[in-house]
Amino acid sequence: MSRSENKGLILGIMAGAAGISLVLVWYHKIRKSGATVNLPAFLDLRNRFHYVDLQNETHNEQGTVMALQGRQLQILEKLNGLLLSVEELKREVEFLKEAVPKLEELVRDELQGKADVRRISPSHRATRKRRAETAYGAAETTSSEEADSEGGYITAHSDTEGESEEERGWISLPAASARPEKETELFNLLLQVDSLHCGSDDDKKGSFRLLLEKEEKHGSHEGFLWRLARAYGDMFEMTTDVEEKKKYVANGKIVAEKAIQLDTMSADSHQWFAIMCGYMSEFDSIQNKIKNGCLFKEHLDKAIELKPQDPFLYYLNGRWCYSVAQLSWIEKKVAATLFGTPPTSTVQEALQNFLKAEEMHPGYSKYNYVFLAKCYKDLGQRSNALKYCDFASSVLPVTNEDKEAQKDLEALLLTLQL
């Protein structure tokens, strides 16, 4: 090979090597450029997945927060109820703090021989609405003009009775030998049964059961006994069975009589003994009706003497006067035979008692309006009778007594329109 050919071969080899080097450099450049371009895309994709995960986590956290807030609200409501209960308990404790020292003072007075009854009047009882004691007066009798009576003394009750002994806060003491613990228990018991008496029929039944359970322990206390008699009256009102009525009123009369024997100056004991006599007249013969009617009047007068500010007693007295004024001839003859001088009264006297109850407590009761209308009708004052019929019509019949009064009112209106 010539020298010139060798030279050309060497140049060719060098050119090929340079070309290959250029190709390799270009290839490496392309690889690096591709890696640089693809890495951000990968990172962006990863960031997107991470963002989705964060959104899911945020959503789950918001749901958890809402659940926790709901639970917190429930806890706050329970705490609020607990705080209210604590406040009520504090008030009861304050009441006991006020009552116990006064009770101790009453015990000291009793031990020193003071027989008078002292007043305990906690502030929280002063605003309690006055509630009526369900009661009956004397049995109403028949006459040629009034078809709602049967020759005796009708019983009557009112839901707007004036302040009774327990509503004024009067609590009399047991025997001086009683222990203070027993007196405190009795004091709380009487407050409880007074509260139940002002409640529903179920509350009154509960009061009756409670008093029966405690009768053996506190049966020597007149305040306990007249409340038990009142409870017998409640049961008499609520039951419809005649035999049960007879049993309740017989036991109630015995209990009320025992209360009077323990304290002859207890207005409520005389009141409830009179009411039991009125209840009994519903089942008695004419002879016993008149006898119980006289007992009713005797003890009602004593109750009025001891408690003259109670309109309920004047209402009952008006019922007795009106019933006696309506006595038939045969009933007056029986009364004269039994007692020498029969009980006497007039419609005018009945009217004065009903007006007295209305004066002391305007709008006293629906039945009081009805009997005012009856009295004015019997006295020939038709315009006044119609006026009180209108007053009676304006009182909605809510209680059982109101419903009975409504029936009497409708019958009275028919006679006035003839």
Side-chain angles (χ1 to χ4, degrees):
M1 184 177 296
S2 64
R3 186 181 181 131
S4 60
E5 288 178 354
N6 288 336
K7 194 183 221 181
L9 179 63
I10 291 170
L11 289 172
I13 290 172
M14 292 176 65
I20 291 171
S21 298
L22 289 172
V23 169
L24 289 172
V25 170
W26 179 83
Y27 173 73
H28 283 293
K29 186 176 182 180
I30 291 299
R31 282 193 64 186
K32 291 181 180 179
S33 176
T36 305
V37 171
N38 291 333
L39 186 57
F42 172 75
L43 290 174
D44 183 63
L45 182 62
R46 187 179 64 178
N47 289 336
R48 289 181 181 178
F49 282 117
H50 183 63
Y51 176 72
V52 172
D53 292 339
L54 287 175
Q55 282 187 324
N56 291 336
E57 291 179 3
T58 302
H59 179 72
N60 292 335
E61 289 178 358
Q62 289 177 348
T64 303
V65 170
M66 291 180 66
L68 288 174
Q69 288 177 346
R71 182 61 178 168
Q72 286 175 349
L73 287 175
Q74 292 178 356
I75 294 173
L76 287 175
E77 289 176 357
K78 291 181 179 180
L79 286 175
N80 185 51
L82 181 60
L83 288 175
L84 291 176
S85 299
V86 171
E87 289 298 324
E88 184 177 354
L89 182 61
K90 286 181 179 179
R91 289 194 294 269
E92 292 297 327
V93 170
E94 289 299 323
F95 158 66
L96 290 175
K97 286 181 179 178
E98 294 177 5
V100 170
K102 295 178 182 179
L103 190 60
E104 293 175 353
E105 182 181 351
L106 290 174
V107 174
R108 287 196 300 269
D109 290 344
E110 183 71 14
L111 291 173
Q112 291 171 1
K114 295 182 179 180
D116 57 299
V117 177
R118 299 284 300 277
R119 184 173 185 175
I120 301 176
S121 180
S123 59
H124 79 278
R125 290 173 57 83
T127 57
R128 195 176 83 181
K129 182 179 179 182
R130 293 185 304 171
R131 296 293 300 272
E133 296 176 352
T134 306
Y136 274 102
E140 192 172 3
T141 60
T142 54
S143 68
S144 59
E145 296 182 359
E146 299 293 332
D148 57 351
S149 53
E150 283 191 339
Y153 301 91
I154 196 167
T155 55
H157 57 280
S158 170
D159 283 331
T160 50
E161 180 187 352
E163 288 184 335
S164 62
E165 181 173 328
E166 78 278 4
E167 289 173 322
R168 296 192 310 272
W170 289 78
I171 304 294
S172 55
L173 295 175
S177 60
R179 298 183 338 200
E181 293 83 358
K182 183 177 179 181
E183 289 190 8
T184 302
E185 178 188 348
L186 176 60
F187 177 80
N188 292 329
L189 173 65
L190 298 185
L191 290 180
Q192 183 179 0
V193 297
D194 287 343
S195 177
L196 290 172
H197 170 70
C198 295
S200 63
D201 286 353
D202 288 338
D203 291 332
K204 292 178 181 178
K205 291 176 183 178
S207 172
F208 177 67
R209 290 192 297 267
L210 183 59
L211 287 166
L212 287 181
E213 291 173 3
K214 302 295 184 179
E215 183 177 9
E216 183 176 354
K217 187 172 185 179
H218 301 295
S220 60
H221 185 275
E222 61 84 20
F224 176 91
L225 289 174
W226 73 252
R227 285 172 173 83
L228 179 56
R230 180 184 65 185
Y232 274 116
D234 289 338
M235 298 302 295
F236 176 91
E237 283 294 320
M238 289 184 283
T239 187
T240 56
D241 184 83
V242 174
E243 293 304 316
E244 286 188 2
K245 281 181 174 288
K246 290 180 179 179
K247 179 183 69 174
Y248 287 138
V249 73
N251 290 335
K253 184 179 180 182
I254 292 172
V255 169
E257 186 174 18
K258 185 178 178 181
I260 293 174
Q261 292 171 354
L262 290 171
D263 184 1
T264 59
M265 300 302 290
S266 170
D268 291 283
S269 298
H270 286 285
Q271 172 183 321
W272 282 101
F273 182 81
I275 290 170
M276 291 300 117
C277 291
Y279 281 139
M280 293 192 76
S281 66
E282 291 189 11
F283 313 105
D284 284 337
S285 62
I286 293 178
Q287 177 178 341
N288 286 332
K289 280 183 179 180
I290 295 174
K291 179 180 179 180
N292 280 316
C294 292
L295 285 173
F296 174 90
K297 178 62 174 172
E298 175 186 348
H299 289 275
L300 181 62
D301 286 346
K302 185 64 176 178
I304 292 175
E305 176 187 338
L306 296 170
K307 194 168 57 171
Q309 76 283 6
D310 191 346
F312 179 61
L313 299 177
Y314 294 98
Y315 168 76
L316 290 180
N317 202 31
R319 294 290 297 261
W320 184 88
C321 292
Y322 188 84
S323 298
V324 170
Q326 304 296 324
L327 282 174
S328 64
W329 177 84
I330 186 64
E331 289 165 342
K332 291 178 180 178
K333 286 295 183 181
V334 171
T337 301
L338 290 174
F339 304 103
T341 302
T344 60
S345 190
T346 63
V347 174
Q348 185 64 41
E349 289 176 339
L351 176 64
Q352 294 306 313
N353 279 279
F354 293 130
L355 288 174
K356 179 72 172 179
E358 177 66 15
E359 177 187 352
M360 296 178 70
H361 192 301
Y364 177 68
S365 75
K366 188 180 185 75
Y367 236 145
N368 198 59
Y369 282 142
V370 171
F371 272 95
L372 281 167
K374 285 184 177 184
C375 290
Y376 280 119
K377 169 186 170 291
D378 292 349
L379 293 172
Q381 301 181 31
R382 186 173 179 275
S383 60
N384 281 331
L386 289 172
K387 179 180 75 172
Y388 281 102
C389 282
D390 290 339
F391 289 157
S393 298
S394 67
V395 179
L396 295 177
V398 177
T399 65
N400 290 332
E401 185 198 27
D402 291 340
K403 294 173 183 177
E404 294 173 7
Q406 183 64 32
K407 294 178 182 178
D408 281 1
L409 175 62
E410 292 170 359
L412 180 60
L413 285 171
L414 287 176
T415 62
L416 288 171
Q417 292 170 359
L418 294 178

